[in-house]
Amino acid sequence: MRAVAAAALSMTMVAAPPFVVGTMGPGISADLGLSVPALAGTVSFGYLVAAVASPLGGVVVQRVGPSRALRLAAALASLGVALVAVARGPATLALAFVALGMANAVIQPASNGTLATAATGRRQGAVFGIVQSAVPAATLLAGLLLASFDDVRPWREAMVILLVATLLPQIVVPRPAAGSQRVPRRASGRSSLPHRGTLIALCAGGFMGSAAATTVAVFGVASGLSSGLSPAVAAGGLVLGSLCCITGRILTSWRWGDHAPRRLLLDIAGLQATGVLGIALVGTGTTAGYLVGIAFAFGCGWGWTGLLNIVITRVWGGRVASVTGVMQAGLFGGSVAGPLVFAAVVDGTGYLDAWLVAAAALTVAASASVVAGRLVGARHLGEQNEKGPSRVGRR
């Protein structure tokens, strides 16, 4: 289980910096002379780097192995956080997000490569849920940092604390055993992809779902503050949402972890559809709407990534790291587009319309998940006719 803990810790530390920057954004903007759209553009630039580099990140993990890749991702995150802490202008901040983007490009393929053979059935689902809860744990860390300072002005001190935390994976990640450095690949020359259309639908759904979820994580606090909520209440909502997301990812991955890929994708669609309601409630601007909405937006609207990674592991087998890299390009692409579009709408017409756009994006993501489920189901039935019933999971 040390490998699972190492993957979870590494994921948390790599995912945390953009959320901390977003949460402390008003203080960073004031000190560096950046507008809200400019800061959002810098965060999005980091995700753009991750989106472009993710396929290469999958190849790197496939070659060097998950353990070394986890260490590499954590080291890049430490470099990025250090650059944010000493930034005196937009150029240094942009350079920091190059390093953070590269870290994000490596971390998910490394994590999936670590977990692919860690367990089976529901236990495998629980393992994926635990590690995927690292991302909402990163938003929880951002909320706790804001709550501890109760102010956005000491953002450099917050980044120093985060820098120390990003060094922990170098201690925790186990060294690879001899002969186990590389992620195993299928020896067969036949492609293990069931259908290109399935991967396209998954990437499209991941793009739209990530666009919606990232805006909640990055702009949830700022939206609450603009509605008149105190920093403590706004940060408390972020902490509540993060806890709901952590709980949701673990419980759904454990409870549904033995489902067949088609059923898993329909489960994902249901979670995303429920998350739409949460995002709409966040946009009401009321205290109750903010707290209830952010709980559903995080817990359901962002609670599906553990299930998605189980689907990748079940469908693509020995190509887990490389296919994860392709999938991450879609997810990070959404993380680029989401904050940019959201900030532009806020700048033009306000937060209410921006949240409605985010809810529409998550609705499209749910539809794409249904399409992917139908494609996987059709392929599965074809294989059953050729080879007999599948033994992987329940329909």
Side-chain angles (χ1 to χ4, degrees):
M1 292 300 291
R2 182 183 175 186
V4 176
L9 177 63
S10 300
M11 283 273 289
T12 304
M13 293 303 104
V14 172
F19 299 128
V20 175
V21 169
T23 300
M24 308 298 285
I28 296 174
S29 295
D31 283 357
L32 302 186
L34 293 172
S35 65
V36 172
L39 183 61
T42 303
V43 175
S44 295
F45 172 68
Y47 287 125
L48 176 61
V49 172
V52 173
S54 283
L56 177 61
V59 173
V60 169
V61 175
Q62 201 81 39
R63 294 192 176 215
V64 306
S67 294
R68 290 189 181 126
L70 289 175
R71 291 177 181 272
L72 173 62
L76 288 168
S78 298
L79 174 61
V81 172
L83 288 171
V84 173
V86 301
R88 298 294 175 184
T92 306
L93 198 62
L95 185 61
F97 273 90
V98 171
L100 293 173
M102 294 299 296
N104 275 287
V106 173
I107 189 62
Q108 188 65 66
S111 173
N112 280 7
T114 299
L115 304 181
T117 58
T120 59
R122 280 193 175 184
R123 288 188 61 190
Q124 185 184 56
V127 165
F128 270 96
I130 290 170
V131 173
Q132 286 302 307
S133 70
V135 178
T139 67
L140 174 62
L141 176 61
L144 291 175
L145 283 173
L146 175 60
S148 64
F149 287 109
D150 197 26
D151 194 355
V152 295
R153 286 175 293 183
W155 61 272
R156 294 188 190 275
E157 289 86 342
M159 298 311 297
V160 170
I161 294 173
L162 182 60
L163 174 60
V164 174
T166 61
L167 298 174
L168 294 177
Q170 303 300 336
I171 301 172
V172 175
V173 174
R175 296 192 178 277
S180 64
Q181 288 86 353
R182 297 187 179 186
V183 177
R185 299 184 65 173
R186 293 181 186 267
S188 171
R190 182 182 177 181
S191 173
S192 59
L193 291 173
H195 199 284
R196 289 185 180 275
T198 303
L199 185 56
I200 292 172
L202 283 178
C203 286
F207 179 94
M208 300 302 289
S210 178
T214 303
T215 57
V216 178
V218 174
F219 291 103
V221 169
S223 176
L225 293 174
S226 73
S227 300
L229 302 181
S230 68
V233 172
L238 185 60
V239 171
L240 172 64
S242 300
L243 291 173
C244 289
C245 192
I246 291 169
T247 303
R249 289 188 180 192
I250 293 174
L251 288 180
T252 57
S253 296
W254 171 77
R255 180 64 183 85
W256 299 333
D258 60 343
H259 286 177
R262 174 183 177 276
R263 178 73 177 274
L264 286 169
L265 287 165
L266 296 180
D267 294 334
I268 289 171
L271 289 171
Q272 291 169 333
T274 306
V276 171
L277 173 63
I279 291 178
L281 287 173
V282 172
T284 62
T286 65
T287 299
Y290 173 79
L291 293 175
V292 174
I294 208 165
F296 277 96
F298 270 92
C300 297
W302 209 19
W304 45 269
T305 58
L307 300 177
L308 177 63
N309 283 286
I310 297 173
V311 171
I312 292 172
T313 301
R314 301 268 171 85
V315 174
W316 283 282
R319 299 181 62 179
V320 170
S322 57
V323 173
T324 298
V326 175
M327 185 67 228
Q328 288 299 113
L331 291 170
F332 284 125
S335 297
V336 174
L340 286 177
V341 173
F342 190 92
V345 176
V346 169
D347 196 45
T349 60
Y351 276 104
L352 176 58
D353 288 342
W355 288 122
L356 291 176
V357 171
L362 195 55
T363 301
V364 174
S367 301
S369 298
V370 172
V371 171
R374 290 184 178 276
L375 290 172
V376 169
R379 179 71 181 202
H380 177 73
L381 289 175
E383 290 177 348
Q384 278 189 325
N385 292 334
E386 293 178 6
K387 303 178 182 179
S390 171
R391 293 180 295 173
V392 181
R394 293 186 288 121
R395 294 192 68 77

